[in-house]
């Protein structure tokens, strides 16, 4: 191995296994709370513990005693550290200096333990009392000439209780501006499903995986992003069902898995397959894959009809769908050459997948952000819904649509009303219960919020969790937009890049995390979250907070609200004194939450229900709508298409294994063989040779977009990888600067972080003032 590639060694082991145990132990020790955190980990996802602050994968009704995965352990230990970021720390480090440090360095410094305000004169954060923080925020809000000059951002970490209070406060203040992390990830899922089946959530429960004859997995890497899913996939294969994976990269978790909590597997060094077929379509080619499958199914149906049989579920189609004939005609008109060119798969591969689907009685189709972050993502998901509808695979056990949400309560936040385009029914329910008229006009999502801050139309930005500056597209444009604000307020557990990208005034408010015990006037409190399967779980922290100055998210929201609105439209401080009061308000406003306080007492929580699962289609037609789209000529928006050349590559951004969203736990990516490095580009070896580069060479990535703005990042090393020719992949947030703000999905406005046109250039770095080749 040469020095060029000494950071890279292909990984030969299974997902999970001893590597997961070693990694968990390392992060457990790094927390500097090792003894205390053993008990903390054992309380993760337990009925009388706390919900993991990581992914939104659900739990079986009869789970094993231990319910955390490797990445869940990282999240818990990362939050339950004893290290502190306080005014004394900030006095030693200027904001300018901190801005030169890595994202890993920033969050590794520990938990924020007191409220602080940025002093622009000294370039340091300084201590501020809670009362001062609330007053400054409220005074700034009261000065705004229009409520729509304020944006209320929400991270998927926020609980149902915090999210409900937050949306109530913002609407009582007068705006529907709710940029939310869902705008960055699964907005296409919500839009496509709502317009197809009348509800923007998946239709399956976790037990449906035990009844499925086939599971089709599109555009996701559960080994890193939601590892608890691997056990489910392994069990599907073990009982003889078909499990087909469609993913651009070869990911170890989608190939085989060794359960680190299974002594037999660990002691025998055994691992189990997690697929029965692995296909690597081109980036954005999944719609073409499904189009091809349906084209094969049409032929199978016609042949079956001649024998007096059927492949399609004609009873379901007749009773429950609208528009399928038009869609099937469009499929017939689509050429096989277009399907093959865009998908990157052969006709034989697509035919095999179609035959598996045709022969299965019950099929689950599950997807994640590899599907949702493209220009044509909504059309892609419509195509998937149509595939399910052909065989009636919506609304019966063992079958259905399953979008896998990334953050632990991103789905719950939307249920609670964190939505810039709320339904009229939700607004009417708020008005009836709280006796005020909420704003009716649609508000701003993430992309439009950035534009509005940039253009001076939004002057106050309040963030309930998250790391807006690092998670959003077009990093330099986002930073510039935040800096135009009069005030930025960050409600946070740890230091991150957003604290260093300030408005004229900036405040940091330290909040409790999932692991922390939440004491309020009526005693210790619990919050609730919603997983990807619409299960509502109670969550109560188990650790004493590091500081008496840390407050819960509901308490912080209530404090700002009371300072701004007084006791309108409710007594905010009474509500946060006992979260049962908040849940009673939720019961009165949000469908499905009747007897909320009683139902969360049962182990495992309760199922919120899903209208489409009951084949109750809440669409204008009262049926599942089968939308028809022409297969796009290009997966790229028009503003990139006209600038392409034979050197153009299509890039997708992704996480490393030592990462959760923008939180960097370490510098390794075990399953992809990367050690001690994040600035890498995964690329087909043929492309390295074709473009005249070498393995391990450092390059500059330059984004292709027609607005005259130069977007580039430099010093990234080329890693040969199993990825289709013409496609590359690299980690975010390091490559977010390459995603143009105006490159977003049709209908969803989600940034196209999975399909960015890129060109590579040889990179030279300066050393001691002398330019030297970085190879």
């Amino acid at each position: 191995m040469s020095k060029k590639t000494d950071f890279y060694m292909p990984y030969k082991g299974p997902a999970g296994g001893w590597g997961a145990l070693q990694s968990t132990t390392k992060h457990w020790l790094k927390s500097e709370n090792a003894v205390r955190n053993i008990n903390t980990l054992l309380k993760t996802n337990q009925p009388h513990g706390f919900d993991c602050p990581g992914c939104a994968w659900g739990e079986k009704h009869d789970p094993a005693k231990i319910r955390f995965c490797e990445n869940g352990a990282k999240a818990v230990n990362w939050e339950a550290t004893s290290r502190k970021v306080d005014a004394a720390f900030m006095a030693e480090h200027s904001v300018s200096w901190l801005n030169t440090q890595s994202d890993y360095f920033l969050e590794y410094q520990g938990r924020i333990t007191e409220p602080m305000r940025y002093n622009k004169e000294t370039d340091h954060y300084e201590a501020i009392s809670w009362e001062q923080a609330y007053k400054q925020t409220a005074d700034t809000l009261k000065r705004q000439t229009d409520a729509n000059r304020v944006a209320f951002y929400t991270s998927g970490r926020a609980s149902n209780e915090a999210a409900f209070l937050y949306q109530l406060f913002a609407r009582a203040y007068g705006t529907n501006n709710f940029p939310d992390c869902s705008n960055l990830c699964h907005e296409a899922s919500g839009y496509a499903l709502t317009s197809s089946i009348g509800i923007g959530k998946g239709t399956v429960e976790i037990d449906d995986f035990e009844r499925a004859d086939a599971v089709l997995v599109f555009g996701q890497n559960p080994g890193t992003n939601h590892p608890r899913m691997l056990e489910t996939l392994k069990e599907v294969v073990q009982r003889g069902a078909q499990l087909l994976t469609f993913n651009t990269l070869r990911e170890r978790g989608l190939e085989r898995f060794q359960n680190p909590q299974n002594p037999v597997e660990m002691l025998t060094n055994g691992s189990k397959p997690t697929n029965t077929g692995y296909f690597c379509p081109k980036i954005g080619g999944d719609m073409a894959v499904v189009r091809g499958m349906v084209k094969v199914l049409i032929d199978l149906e016609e042949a079956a009809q001649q024998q007096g049989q059927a492949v399609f579920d004609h009873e379901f189609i007749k009773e429950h769908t609208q528009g399928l004939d038009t869609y099937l005609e469009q499929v017939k008109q689509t050429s096989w050459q277009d399907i093959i060119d865009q998908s990157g798969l052969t006709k034989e591969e697509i035919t095999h997948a179609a035959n598996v689907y045709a022969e299965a009685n019950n099929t689950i189709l599950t997807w994640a952000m590899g599907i949702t972050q493209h220009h044509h993502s909504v059309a892609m998901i419509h195509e998937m819904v149509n595939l399910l509808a052909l065989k009636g695979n919506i609304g019966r056990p063992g079958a259905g649509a399953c979008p896998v949400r990334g953050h632990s309560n991103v789905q719950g936040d939307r249920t609670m009303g964190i939505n810039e385009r709320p339904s009229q029914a939700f607004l009417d329910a708020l008005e009836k219960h709280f006796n005020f008229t909420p704003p009716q006009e649609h508000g701003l999502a993430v992309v439009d919020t950035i534009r509005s801050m940039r253009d001076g139309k939004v002057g106050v930005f309040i963030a309930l969790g998250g790391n807006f500056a690092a998670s959003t597209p077009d990093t330099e444009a986002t930073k510039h937009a935040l800096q135009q604000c009069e005030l930025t307020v960050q409600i946070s557990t740890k230091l991150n890049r957003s604290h260093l990208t300030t408005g004229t005034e900036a405040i940091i408010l330290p909040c409790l995390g999932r692991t922390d015990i939440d004491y309020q006037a009526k005693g210790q409190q619990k919050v609730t979250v919603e997983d990807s399967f619409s299960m509502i779980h109670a969550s109560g922290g188990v650790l004493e907070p590091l500081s008496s100055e840390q407050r819960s998210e509901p308490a912080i929201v209530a404090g700002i609200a009371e300072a701004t609105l007084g006791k309108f439209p409710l007594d905010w401080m009474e509500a946060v004194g006992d979260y049962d009061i908040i849940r009673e308000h939720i019961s009165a406003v949000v469908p499905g939450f009747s007897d909320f306080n009683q139902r969360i007492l049962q182990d495992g929580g309760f199922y919120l229900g899903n209208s489409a699962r009951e084949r109750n289609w809440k669409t204008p037609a009262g049926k599942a709508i089968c939308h028809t789209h022409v297969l796009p000529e290009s997966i790229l928006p028009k503003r990139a298409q006209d600038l392409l050349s034979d050197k153009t590559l299509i890039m997708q951004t992704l996480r490393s294994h030592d990462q959760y969203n923008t939180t960097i736990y370490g510098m390794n990516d075990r399953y992809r063989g990367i050690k001690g490095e994040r600035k890498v580009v995964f690329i087909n070896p043929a492309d390295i040779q074709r473009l005249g580069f070498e393995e391990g060479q450092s390059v500059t990535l330059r984004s292709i977009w027609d607005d005259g703005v130069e977007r580039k990042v430099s010093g990234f090393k080329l890693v040969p990888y199993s990825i289709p020719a013409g496609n590359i992949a690299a980690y975010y947030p390091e490559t977010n600067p390459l995603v143009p703000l105006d490159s977003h999905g049709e209908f969803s406005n989600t940034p196209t972080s999975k399909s960015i046109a890129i060109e590579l250039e040889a990179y030279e770095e300066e050393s001691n003032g002398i330019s030297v080749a970085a190879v």
Side-chain angles (χ1 to χ4, degrees):
M1 182 169 56
S2 71
K3 290 183 178 180
K4 293 181 183 179
T5 55
D6 58 4
F7 59 91
Y8 171 64
M9 178 66 71
Y11 184 71
K12 300 184 183 301
W18 293 106
L21 288 180
Q22 292 168 355
S23 175
T24 299
T25 301
K26 180 187 73 174
H27 286 277
W28 167 56
L29 294 172
K30 280 173 63 178
S31 73
E32 299 181 8
N33 261 338
V35 175
R36 186 178 69 161
N37 282 2
I38 283 288
N39 179 63
T40 307
L41 287 172
L42 294 176
K43 293 289 187 180
T44 307
N45 295 321
Q46 295 291 340
H48 302 290
F50 61 91
D51 199 85
C52 179
C55 77
W57 189 253
E59 299 292 340
K60 286 186 177 181
H61 299 304
D62 57 347
K65 182 178 180 181
I66 296 176
R67 304 191 197 180
F68 63 86
C69 65
E70 174 190 351
N71 278 11
K74 292 175 186 175
V76 169
N77 284 309
W78 199 248
E79 180 175 286
T81 178
S82 63
R83 293 183 297 274
K84 298 180 180 181
V85 172
D86 53 16
F89 172 89
M90 290 298 198
E92 295 179 9
H93 306 294
S94 70
V95 166
S96 297
W97 182 85
L98 289 169
N99 245 324
T100 66
Q101 306 306 302
S102 69
D103 294 289
Y104 170 74
F105 173 88
L106 296 177
E107 293 214 27
Y108 186 72
Q109 302 314 304
R111 292 287 299 275
I112 300 171
T113 55
E114 61 182 314
M116 290 177 282
R117 176 172 55 198
Y118 180 56
N119 185 332
K120 208 162 191 173
E121 297 298 321
T122 64
D123 194 31
H124 288 265
Y125 274 97
E126 300 169 352
I128 184 177
S129 71
W130 279 102
E131 290 70 23
Q132 290 172 315
Y134 289 155
K135 184 178 186 303
Q136 180 176 346
T137 303
D139 288 347
T140 305
L141 291 176
K142 291 174 184 178
R143 282 200 304 269
Q144 303 310 304
T145 56
D146 180 355
N148 289 319
R149 284 187 51 76
V150 183
F152 294 84
Y153 179 71
T154 319
S155 159
R157 186 199 68 216
S159 66
N160 289 328
E161 290 75 11
F164 185 80
L165 287 186
Y166 198 53
Q167 65 81 29
L168 178 63
F169 166 43
R171 290 192 166 105
Y173 177 70
T175 186
N176 282 317
N177 287 346
F178 288 109
D180 176 52
C181 64
S182 65
N183 301 147
L184 300 170
C185 53
H186 266 285
E187 197 67 49
S189 297
Y191 184 97
L193 290 174
T194 300
S195 58
S196 295
I197 62 175
I199 185 170
K201 302 180 183 183
T203 65
V204 305
E205 299 180 41
I206 194 167
D207 289 344
D208 285 319
F209 283 87
E210 298 176 358
R211 305 184 183 101
D213 302 300
V215 177
L216 309 182
V217 180
F218 282 87
Q220 57 184 292
N221 177 22
T224 288
N225 300 332
H226 31 272
R228 285 180 293 152
M229 186 182 185
L230 295 182
E231 182 69 13
T232 301
L233 299 184
K234 181 189 76 171
E235 291 171 353
V236 168
V237 175
Q238 276 187 296
R239 63 178 176 77
Q242 293 291 306
L243 197 152
L244 304 184
T245 284
F246 302 85
N247 199 67
T248 300
L249 283 79
R250 300 289 300 194
E251 300 286 15
R252 185 48 44 87
L254 292 168
E255 294 177 318
R256 62 185 192 274
F257 172 60
Q258 182 181 38
N259 187 350
Q261 298 174 11
N262 185 318
V264 174
E265 287 187 22
M266 295 298 288
L267 293 175
T268 60
N269 203 30
S271 63
K272 304 295 182 182
T274 52
N275 75 78
T276 60
Y278 202 124
F279 306 94
C280 293
K282 292 179 181 177
I283 287 174
D286 304 88
M287 180 179 177
V289 172
V290 177
R291 178 67 56 95
M293 290 175 65
V294 175
K295 200 169 180 70
V296 174
L297 290 170
I298 291 172
D299 292 341
L300 293 175
E301 170 66 18
E302 290 175 351
Q305 290 281 353
Q306 294 177 5
Q307 304 296 320
Q309 300 173 347
V311 173
F312 296 170
D313 187 335
H314 291 279
E315 182 178 346
F316 177 87
I317 291 170
K318 180 179 179 180
E319 182 178 352
H320 294 289
T321 71
Q322 182 182 85
L324 197 53
D325 288 343
T326 303
Y327 165 71
L328 292 176
E329 186 58 37
Q330 181 66 53
V331 174
K332 292 177 183 178
Q333 294 175 13
T334 307
S335 74
W336 267 112
Q337 192 60 54
D338 287 345
I339 290 170
I340 291 167
D341 288 346
Q342 191 168 115
S343 71
L345 301 185
T346 65
K347 184 177 180 180
E348 291 72 25
E349 288 174 312
I350 294 172
T351 299
H352 172 74
N355 285 327
V356 167
Y357 181 75
E359 293 168 8
N361 292 322
N362 301 306
T363 300
I364 292 173
L365 198 159
T366 176
W367 69 91
M369 288 164 62
I371 298 300
T372 64
Q373 292 183 319
H374 301 276
H375 185 64
H376 65 304
S377 288
V378 168
M380 201 182 306
I381 298 167
H382 281 158
E383 196 89 8
M384 293 174 169
V385 172
N386 294 349
L387 174 66
L388 290 171
L390 284 174
K391 284 177 60 64
N393 277 312
I394 307 174
R396 67 167 183 241
C402 181
V404 180
R405 311 285 179 172
H407 212 157
S408 59
N409 199 41
V410 64
Q411 183 162 304
D413 287 352
R414 184 55 59 91
T415 300
M416 292 295 107
I418 300 295
N419 189 342
E420 78 282 357
R421 300 169 67 90
S423 70
Q424 192 60 50
F426 182 83
L427 295 179
D428 290 346
L430 275 182
E431 181 170 9
K432 180 179 178 181
H433 183 66
F434 289 106
N435 196 30
F436 79 98
T437 302
Q440 304 294 301
E441 63 181 293
H442 291 160
L444 302 176
V446 165
V447 169
D448 283 331
T449 294
I450 297 170
R451 292 184 181 130
S452 294
M453 291 190 295
R454 176 197 64 192
D455 298 340
K457 297 177 181 178
V458 165
V460 181
F461 179 84
I462 302 176
L464 182 62
N467 185 1
F468 190 83
S471 61
T472 45
D474 219 340
T475 306
E476 292 307 311
T478 296
K479 288 182 178 179
H480 173 74
L482 285 167
Q483 289 164 348
Q484 307 313 302
C485 289
E486 178 183 350
L487 173 67
T488 53
V489 179
Q490 306 285 340
I491 302 170
S492 308
T493 57
K494 284 195 159 191
L495 185 64
N496 64 47
R497 190 67 58 189
S498 294
H499 304 125
L500 313 178
T501 309
T502 70
T504 303
E505 299 285 340
I507 295 173
I508 302 174
L509 302 177
C511 67
L512 300 177
R514 291 274 178 83
T515 59
D516 299 317
I517 299 173
D518 182 356
Y519 296 107
Q520 300 298 333
K522 294 292 185 178
Q524 192 168 329
Q525 303 294 316
K526 289 188 175 183
V527 295
T528 59
V529 297
E530 179 182 349
D531 66 25
S532 285
F533 302 103
S534 298
M535 292 294 297
I536 307 297
H537 308 273
S539 176
V542 298
L543 298 176
E544 290 290 336
L546 275 183
S547 167
S548 61
E549 289 292 293
Q550 292 169 316
R551 295 188 179 181
S552 75
E553 288 180 326
I556 295 171
V557 172
I560 298 173
E562 184 175 77
T564 307
L565 304 175
K567 296 186 183 301
F568 172 77
L570 83 167
D571 188 326
W572 300 95
M573 302 318 294
E574 179 188 40
V576 296
D578 181 357
Y579 294 175
D580 281 357
I581 296 174
I582 304 174
R583 287 186 282 269
E584 287 171 1
H585 289 302
I586 294 172
S587 296
V589 172
V590 185
F593 284 87
S594 59
D595 300 319
F596 193 0
N597 282 312
Q598 287 69 45
R599 293 162 74 193
I600 62 169
L601 298 178
Q602 59 196 36
D603 288 354
F606 66 91
Y607 180 54
L608 191 56
N610 183 289
S611 54
R613 185 178 177 85
E614 304 301 322
R615 295 187 171 176
N616 174 18
W617 316 105
K618 294 186 176 181
T619 62
K623 292 187 176 184
I625 308 299
C626 296
H627 296 269
T628 298
H629 300 274
V630 176
L631 194 68
E633 293 182 6
S634 170
I635 68 165
L636 298 171
K638 181 68 173 173
R639 293 176 66 180
Q641 291 178 32
D642 296 339
L643 302 175
L644 306 185
S645 72
D646 59 357
K647 295 182 178 180
T648 302
L649 301 167
I650 308 302
M651 181 192 77
Q652 70 169 49
T653 67
L654 41 66
R655 296 173 181 166
S656 76
H657 193 60
D658 270 357
Q659 175 180 1
Y660 191 78
N661 293 339
T662 59
T663 300
I664 312 301
Y665 301 125
M667 303 300 287
N668 301 331
D669 191 353
R670 186 170 73 252
Y671 298 153
R672 298 190 185 107
I674 302 299
K675 186 174 182 179
E677 183 62 78
R678 285 190 55 82
K679 297 178 74 171
V680 297
V681 177
F682 299 100
I683 182 171
N684 189 295
D687 283 329
I688 296 178
Q689 183 176 13
R690 177 177 66 86
L691 296 171
F693 297 116
E694 299 178 8
E695 292 183 16
Q697 183 173 350
S698 290
V699 296
T700 290
L701 288 74
R702 189 183 304 277
S703 180
I704 298 174
W705 196 251
D706 75 347
D707 61 357
V709 176
E710 184 177 63
R711 297 177 179 88
K712 66 178 183 178
V713 294
S714 297
F716 283 67
K717 299 175 182 178
L718 296 178
V719 175
Y721 207 76
S722 180
I723 186 172
N727 292 169
I728 60 174
Y731 303 135
Y732 72 84
E734 289 85 351
T735 51
N736 283 356
L738 300 173
V739 184
L741 186 63
D742 292 332
S743 183
H744 49 72
E746 286 187 292
F747 310 108
S748 69
N749 279 345
T750 297
T752 58
S753 300
K754 291 292 187 289
S755 49
I756 299 298
I758 295 292
E759 287 189 3
L760 302 180
E761 303 170 356
Y763 171 66
E764 292 188 348
E765 61 183 358
E766 292 188 358
S767 177
N768 297 321
I770 303 174
S771 180
V772 297
V775 291

